[in-house]
């Protein structure tokens, strides 16, 4: 995946996907908030279990023209960030970068690290999948099959905007100032392709720079009503957990059903019992 092509992955709605799912450990307080207040929690990408996830690595320009274009854009950005620097100082720094490829490479590496820090402060992510019966995901994200999996209506304009994650065999590089800054959030190693993941990306309201993104406050996002269609209870969840989930769903207007993931006795498979 390279942002120079102007490529963004398709979203669920344009792919004709009607349902998406989110695995999580069982927590009565959080589940009550989801069901009664339509609030979901977007994660800080720094907390993800994949240490490469969302970390941008920016391309070093390969030609003299590309280097000149990048340095010109860096000068403009630098001027906004440090308005008290003189034009002579900026020109001297640009000339040094242009004439010393190793220095430019070093600066881009520093910017990649700096950008990752900024992304942690600014962005939050909500992870979804097409597959509600993946044993690995139940094990990793739903407390060893003791948690729950939420079923979302992807015809909903918010949920349907979740972007498909692209799984890459080579670590992708991105380009500064190309207008596709969300790309690092939807590129992962091919080792994770079993997750069949889609993502919603938000900006924290206090750090937001774009009017076009979803907005969260301390990771909390308010969903439209009736976004959740069902709750799937894990195959190893206790009877008490199952009862609490059913009681919470019963308190609503009947719009959310409760079903259960069931382990096949003679196959490495899960099925959903309604």
């Amino acid at each position: 995946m390279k942002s120079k092509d102007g490529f963004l992955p398709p979203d669920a709605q344009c792919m004709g996907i009607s349902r998406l799912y989110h695995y999580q450990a069982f927590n009565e307080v959080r589940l009550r908030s989801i069901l009664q207040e339509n609030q979901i929690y977007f994660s800080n990408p720094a907390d993800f279990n994949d240490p490469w996830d969302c970390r941008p690595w920016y391309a070093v320009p390969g030609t003299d023209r590309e280097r000149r274009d990048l340095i010109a854009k860096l000068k403009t950005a630098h001027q906004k960030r440090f308005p008290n620097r003189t034009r002579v100082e900026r020109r001297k720094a640009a000339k040094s970068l242009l004439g010393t490829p190793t220095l430019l490479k070093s600066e881009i590496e520093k910017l990649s690290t700096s950008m990752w820090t900024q992304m942690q402060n600014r962005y939050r992510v909500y992870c979804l999948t097409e597959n509600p019966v993946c044993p690995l995901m139940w094990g990793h994200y739903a407390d060893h099959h003791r948690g729950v999996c939420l079923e979302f209506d992807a015809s909903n304009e918010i949920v349907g905007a979740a972007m498909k994650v692209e799984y890459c065999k080579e670590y992708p590089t991105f380009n500064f100032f190309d207008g596709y800054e969300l790309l690092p959030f939807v590129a992962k190693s091919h080792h994770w392709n079993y997750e069949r993941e889609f993502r919603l990306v938000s900006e924290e309201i206090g750090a937001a720079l774009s009017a076009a993104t979803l907005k969260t406050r301390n990771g909390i996002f308010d969903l439209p009503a009736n976004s959740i269609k069902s709750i799937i209870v894990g195959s190893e969840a206790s009877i008490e957990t199952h009862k609490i989930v059913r009681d919470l769903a019963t308190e609503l207007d009947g719009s959310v059903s409760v079903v259960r993931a069931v382990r096949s006795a003679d196959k490495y498979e899960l099925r959903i019992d309604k």
Side-chain angles (χ1 to χ4, degrees):
M1 178 193 301
K2 291 193 177 179
S3 57
K4 68 181 182 181
D5 299 322
F7 171 77
L8 275 175
D11 61 38
Q13 209 163 57
C14 79
M15 293 178 67
I17 293 171
S18 62
R19 294 288 187 268
L20 286 173
Y21 303 86
H22 176 81
Y23 293 88
Q24 63 185 57
F26 172 70
N27 179 299
E28 183 177 353
V29 173
R30 180 172 288 186
L31 188 58
R32 184 182 295 274
S33 176
I34 292 170
L35 295 177
Q36 296 183 350
E37 301 175 36
N38 295 306
Q39 290 185 333
I40 57 175
Y41 179 76
F42 282 53
S43 299
N44 188 318
D47 296 330
F48 288 167
N49 54 4
D50 175 3
W52 290 273
D53 202 348
C54 303
R55 291 176 184 258
W57 194 253
Y58 292 97
V60 176
T63 68
D64 185 63
R65 180 176 178 178
E66 288 174 345
R67 285 191 288 273
R68 289 181 182 278
D69 287 346
L70 175 60
I71 290 168
K73 290 173 181 176
L74 287 172
K75 281 175 62 178
T76 301
H78 189 273
Q79 187 171 1
K80 291 179 180 178
R81 187 175 179 184
F82 304 103
N84 295 327
R85 299 289 177 84
T86 67
R87 183 177 298 180
V88 172
E89 288 175 319
R90 296 185 210 286
R91 188 181 297 118
K92 183 178 179 181
K95 184 177 180 180
S96 179
L97 287 174
L98 187 60
T100 316
T102 55
L103 179 61
L104 180 59
K105 182 176 183 292
S106 175
E107 287 301 309
I108 291 174
E109 290 175 355
K110 290 178 185 177
L111 285 168
S112 294
T113 302
S114 172
M115 187 62 70
W116 170 232
T117 301
Q118 293 179 44
M119 288 166 67
Q120 295 174 57
N121 294 330
R122 179 178 169 192
Y123 290 104
R124 299 293 180 265
V125 182
Y126 194 72
C127 302
L128 298 149
T129 178
E130 296 178 80
N131 186 5
V133 289
C134 176
L136 283 173
M137 295 185 75
W138 276 105
H140 292 161
Y141 305 117
D143 189 23
H144 312 293
H145 297 253
R146 297 189 293 258
V148 297
C149 182
L150 308 179
E151 178 188 13
F152 289 90
D153 181 3
S155 66
N156 175 302
E157 64 178 7
I158 299 296
V159 179
M163 294 179 288
K164 186 179 186 300
V165 170
E166 296 295 316
Y167 298 99
C168 312
K169 289 191 175 182
E170 296 183 3
Y171 203 99
T173 56
F174 306 99
N175 294 323
F176 281 109
F177 310 112
D178 62 1
Y180 291 94
E181 59 191 36
L182 297 186
L183 277 170
F185 294 100
V186 286
K188 292 186 70 172
S189 164
H190 66 103
H191 295 97
W192 298 88
N193 60 12
Y194 68 89
E195 292 188 342
R196 293 161 57 185
E197 190 176 353
F198 285 74
R199 286 180 168 179
L200 293 170
V201 180
S202 71
E203 288 182 288
E204 278 288 277
I205 192 71
L209 298 176
S210 170
T213 59
L214 302 178
K215 302 296 183 293
T216 45
R217 188 182 299 276
N218 297 321
I220 301 298
F221 180 78
D222 294 320
L223 279 171
N226 302 316
S227 296
I228 297 176
K229 307 311 292 182
S230 76
I231 304 167
I232 306 168
V233 181
S235 62
E236 305 303 306
S238 67
I239 294 173
E240 181 184 5
T241 294
H242 204 173
K243 181 180 183 303
I244 292 172
V245 173
R246 284 196 174 278
D247 289 347
L248 287 174
T250 301
E251 293 175 12
L252 303 177
D253 58 5
S255 60
V256 177
S257 61
V258 178
V259 295
R260 185 152 197 163
V262 177
R263 177 180 62 85
S264 297
D266 59 345
K267 297 178 182 178
Y268 293 119
E269 292 179 358
L270 294 170
R271 69 176 190 275
I272 304 298
D273 272 7
K274 300 188 175 181

